[in-house]
Amino acid sequence: MARAGTILAATLDLLEGRIRAGVSTAELDRAAERFIRSRGATPSFKGYRGFPGSICASPNAVVVHGIPGPYRCKRGDIISIDVGVTLDGWVADAARTFGVGEIDPLAQNLLAATRESLDAGVAQCVAGNRLGDVSSAIQRVAESAGCSVVRSLVGHGVGRSMHEDPQVPNYGKPGKGPLLEEGMVLAIEPMTTAGRPAVRVAGDGWAIFSQDGSPAAHFEFTVAITAEGPRILTPWHLPPSERPRPAIREPAETAASAG
C-alpha cells in the first residue's frame, strides 16, 4: 500500500502542475491515468461501481465524486482532486483541494481549516484510541474555523478493496466507537463546506454538491496504525525528496535462489 501511495502522491504532484485556468477536468483525468499506468499500477476509480473517470474532479460547490469532463477551470476556482491507485492488489486513496490562481479569503479559510482538520484526525490514529477520537478532532478543528462538516459522507477502511470497514465519520464524540488497533488502515478524509452541511446529488448520480451552493473542500490521506504511531501511506504533504521509499519485496523464488 505504501508503494501505491507513493505513486498516488506523485500523481497529485503532476496534477498540481497542470491545474490552471483553461484546463479541463477531462484533460486532468487523462494525464492522471497515463501517469498511473506508466508506473505499473491501475486507477482504482476507473469502472468502480460504473464510475467513468480515473480521478474525481470536483470544482467549487462539488464536494466529491465529480466526473471529469468538459468543465474548464477558471481563475478563483477551487477544485478537489481525489485519486485511487491499485498496485499488486492493494489500494491507496488520497485527495487534495487546489486553488486555481488567487482565491478569495472565504476559500482560503476553507482550504486551510480542512487541511488542518485532516492533520488533527491523523494525529489521533493511535492504537488504543477510539474512532470517535479521530472524528471529534476533525470536527473540532473544522467547526472552530467556521466550516461545516458534511455528515452524510465518511472516510473508511481501505486495503484490498476501495471501501472496507469501519466507516470513519468526520464528527463524533471522543472515547466512543471501535477501538483502533495496530494493522488497521484508514482513509481519513474530512469533507467540508463554507456554508451549511446539507448536500444534494447531481442528476448524473455521482457528483455531490453543497445544497446551498457554498464552496467545498476535501483532503485525504491513507493512514496505517502502527506500533510507532500513525504512518501516512500517501505522503503528498512531503516534498518528493523527503518521501519514504517503500521496500520492494523480491518474488519468493528469487529470494530462495539467492540463499
Side-chain angles (χ1 to χ4, degrees), residues 18 68 75 104 107 126 154 160-161 191 224 228-229 239 244 250 254:
R18 294 184 180 227
R75 285 188 62 83
D104 64 30
V126 176
V154 297
R160 289 287 190 181
S161 300
M191 292 158 278
E228 290 75 36
E250 294 181 355
T254 303

Side-chain angles (χ1 to χ4, degrees), residues 22-23 41 63 92 109 129 149 164 174 180 188 221 237 243 247:
V23 71
V63 186
N109 179 69
N129 278 0
V149 169
E164 299 181 354
L180 301 183
I188 307 297
F221 285 130
H237 60 305
R243 291 174 188 163

Side-chain angles (χ1 to χ4, degrees), residues 79-238:
I79 183 166
S80 299
I81 303 292
D82 192 0
V83 182
V85 171
T86 302
L87 183 67
D88 297 334
W90 295 97
V91 179
D93 189 8
R96 292 179 64 184
T97 302
F98 301 93
V100 182
E102 186 175 351
I103 60 176
D104 64 30
L106 182 73
Q108 290 176 27
N109 179 69
L110 175 68
L111 267 60
T114 310
R115 173 73 176 84
E116 289 168 13
S117 74
L118 172 63
D119 289 342
V122 170
Q124 295 299 317
C125 290
V126 176
N129 278 0
R130 296 280 178 176
L131 194 60
D133 298 321
V134 178
S135 302
S136 64
I138 292 170
Q139 180 183 12
R140 183 178 65 253
V141 171
E143 292 183 350
S144 67
C147 302
S148 292
V149 169
V150 176
R151 298 194 171 210
S152 57
L153 299 170
V154 297
H156 50 89
V158 61
R160 289 287 190 181
S161 300
M162 172 69 65
H163 294 107
E164 299 181 354
D165 291 333
Q167 292 189 346
V168 185
N170 293 308
Y171 68 97
K173 295 182 179 180
K176 302 293 185 180
L179 186 69
L180 301 183
E181 300 178 14
E182 185 179 349
M184 285 182 169
V185 182
L186 305 174
I188 307 297
E189 49 177 327
M191 292 158 278
T192 63
T193 75
R196 299 180 67 83
V199 295
R200 63 177 177 86
V201 181
D204 61 20
W206 281 104
I208 298 178
F209 287 76
S210 62
Q211 195 172 85
D212 60 7
S214 61
H218 179 203
F219 286 87
E220 177 183 16
F221 285 130
T222 294
V223 182
I225 296 172
T226 78
E228 290 75 36
R231 178 185 175 190
I232 295 172
L233 302 182
T234 50
W236 51 256
H237 60 305
L238 297 175

